[in-house]
Amino acid sequence: MARRIAEALQVPIFDGGMILEGGSIDTNGAGTLLTTEQCLLNPNRNPHLDRATIEQRLKDFLGVRQVLWLGRGLEGDDTDGHVDDLTRFVAEDVVVTAIETNPHDPNHDVLQENLERLRAFRLPDGRPLQIITLPMPEPVEIAGERVPAPTRTSTSPTVWCSCRPTAMPATKRPGRSCSAVFRIGRWCPWTAAPSSVGWAPCTV
C-alpha cells in the first residue's frame, strides 16, 4: 500500500527493513522516542535485528536522536506490548503513564518497573520527564480472556478529567467510551486523529 501511494504521488519510498507498527512507538516531536522491549525485541517482529541495530534504524528513518526503552506491556495484550497502551507523550518533557494500584494484579509489577524507568530517563539536555500517572481500569474479560480494554467504569471521566488540565491544557475534548471500538478489534485508531474531530476516546 505504501509503495502504491508513493508511486501515485511520485515521491520516494524508503524501506526500513524492519517490522514497525505505529502503536509500538511514541515520540515527543523533539527527537525522543518511546518503545518497549517486549514489542520491538520480540522474535516475531525482527529476529534478524539486535537492539543496537533497531535503535539506529529508528534514528535513521524517523530522525530521532534518543530511544527510551520500557519493559513489558499489559496482561492479555495481543500487540506484544505496544507502548501506546502504556505511556504517551503529551508534551516534550511530559508523559502520561498507566499504573496498577492492586499489588496482586499481574500488571502491577510490570507497570511499576516501567514507572521506575521513566523516572530514571533523562532527555538529551539532561531534563527528567514529568510523569502523570493514571490508574488502570478494572480487569475486563471477553470470551473468557483478560484484555487490556480501553474503557472504565463511571469513575473514568473523573479520573481522567482531574489530570487533563495538567497533561493537555489546550484541549477541550470530552471523553468517550471505547468499549465498542475495542470489542471489534480496532487497534491504534486515534494516534493521528485530527483536531477537527473535536473529541478524544477515553483510552486509559
Side-chain angles (χ1 to χ4, degrees):
M1 178 62 72
R3 191 173 300 280
R4 291 182 179 181
I5 293 174
E7 291 173 352
L9 296 176
Q10 297 183 342
V11 296
I13 185 170
F14 301 93
D15 185 352
M18 62 181 288
I19 294 174
L20 183 71
E21 305 101 291
S24 68
I25 60 172
D26 192 44
T27 72
N28 69 348
T32 297
L33 179 147
L34 269 174
T35 189
T36 68
E37 294 167 346
Q38 182 186 3
C39 187
L40 291 199
L41 301 184
N42 198 308
N44 66 14
R45 295 301 200 283
N46 302 291
H48 60 297
L49 302 178
D50 60 18
R51 182 186 184 121
T53 303
I54 289 174
E55 279 200 21
Q56 191 59 53
R57 293 196 182 189
L58 292 172
K59 293 175 181 178
D60 291 344
F61 284 90
L62 299 180
V64 297
R65 292 172 291 150
Q66 179 185 39
V67 179
L68 304 179
W69 294 85
L70 297 179
R72 297 183 57 79
L74 302 176
E75 177 79 9
D77 178 9
D78 62 4
T79 69
D80 299 316
H82 272 194
V83 76
D84 67 354
D85 282 335
L86 306 168
T87 306
R88 301 298 302 268
F89 278 109
V90 294
E92 181 179 331
D93 62 346
V94 184
V95 295
V96 175
T97 193
I99 60 169
E100 176 54 63
T101 58
N102 179 4
H104 303 294
D105 189 283
N107 285 316
H108 179 271
D109 290 351
V110 170
L111 295 180
Q112 190 62 37
E113 180 189 345
N114 286 338
L115 178 60
E116 292 305 318
R117 292 193 189 197
L118 290 169
R119 288 171 173 164
F121 289 151
R122 293 294 181 270
L123 296 173
D125 61 6
R127 282 180 296 164
L129 294 173
Q130 299 180 54
I131 303 168
I132 300 170
T133 58
L134 278 177
M136 283 287 292
E138 295 76 11
V140 174
E141 288 192 1
I142 298 177
E145 294 187 7
R146 176 168 175 158
V147 294
T151 78
R152 278 189 172 274
T153 64
S154 59
T155 61
S156 177
T158 301
V159 172
W160 169 234
C161 291
S162 67
C163 77
R164 187 168 59 185
T166 300
M168 306 174 74
T171 63
K172 297 180 179 179
R173 299 182 178 185
R176 295 290 188 270
S177 171
C178 281
S179 56
V181 175
F182 185 84
R183 287 176 182 275
I184 60 174
R186 299 290 187 239
W187 287 101
C188 313
W190 310 109
T191 300
S195 58
S196 60
V197 170
W199 63 273
C202 186
T203 56
V204 285

